[in-house]
């Protein structure tokens, strides 16, 4: 009887551990790379269908980079700070993409400065089309990881 209880507790513990690991790791197969291939595909889509294409990616984890053009305190998505980036790769495809990156770390803000390149990984929260041509967008990202690229 005692060994059955131990086995049941062990199985229960392993199930809980499996659930914790499943929620703590990002599946790299499901990361959307915001790179030349993505923007090339976006630029080939008709302007009417671009909103739909981008909206299908909401809540996905994304990986991208951009040049820092603005840093401020902006309380959104339960985060204290916002860094505004412009994606320089998107301009090659006649697109203007601005990322609003939201995060909490005051230490991280102190290490950032304008014109640096920030590479980020985070969750795609929403998008805002800026013009009727549908070639300019603002994409909100909640930061998971970020790094400064030093040239």
């Amino acid at each position: 009887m005692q060994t059955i209880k131990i086995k049941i507790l062990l199985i229960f513990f392993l199930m809980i551990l499996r659930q914790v690991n499943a929620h703590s790791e990002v599946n790299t197969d499901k990361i959307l790379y915001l790179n030349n291939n993505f923007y090339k595909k976006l630029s080939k889509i008709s302007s009417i269908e671009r909103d739909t294409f981008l909206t299908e990616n909401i809540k996905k984890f994304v990986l991208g980079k951009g040049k820092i053009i603005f840093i401020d305190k902006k309380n959104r998505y339960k985060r204290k700070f916002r860094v505004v980036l412009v994606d320089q790769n998107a301009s090659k495809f006649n697109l203007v993409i601005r990322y609003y990156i939201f995060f909490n770390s005051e230490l991280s803000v102190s290490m950032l400065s304008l014109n640096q390149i920030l590479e980020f990984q985070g969750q795609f929260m929403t998008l805002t089309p800026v013009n009727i041509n549908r070639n300019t967008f603002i994409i909100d990202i909640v930061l998971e990881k970020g790094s400064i690229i030093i040239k």
Side-chain angles (χ1 to χ4, degrees), residues 1-15:
M1 186 70 169
Q2 184 70 16
T3 57
I4 293 173
K5 285 182 181 178
I6 291 173
K7 286 181 182 179
I8 291 172
L9 283 173
L10 183 60
I11 290 170
F12 182 72
F13 176 74
L14 290 173
M15 288 173 54

Side-chain angles (χ1 to χ4, degrees), residues 39 42 85-87 90 95-99 135-137 139:
Y39 292 119
L42 181 61
L85 311 176
V86 64
D87 191 310
L95 299 168
V96 177
I97 305 294
R98 287 194 178 192
Y99 302 115
N135 65 349
T136 304
F137 295 93
I139 299 175

Side-chain angles (χ1 to χ4, degrees), residues 99-138:
Y99 302 115
Y100 286 5
I101 311 292
F102 295 91
F103 59 99
N104 272 329
S105 174
E106 195 165 340
L107 177 61
S108 295
V109 168
S110 69
M111 294 188 311
L112 299 176
S113 61
L114 298 180
N115 299 316
Q116 285 180 319
I117 303 297
L118 177 66
E119 190 170 278
F120 61 87
Q121 180 178 325
Q123 189 171 11
F124 187 137
M125 299 304 288
T126 191
L127 82 134
T128 306
V130 177
N131 62 15
I132 60 171
N133 296 327
R134 297 299 199 254
N135 65 349
T136 304
F137 295 93
I138 297 170

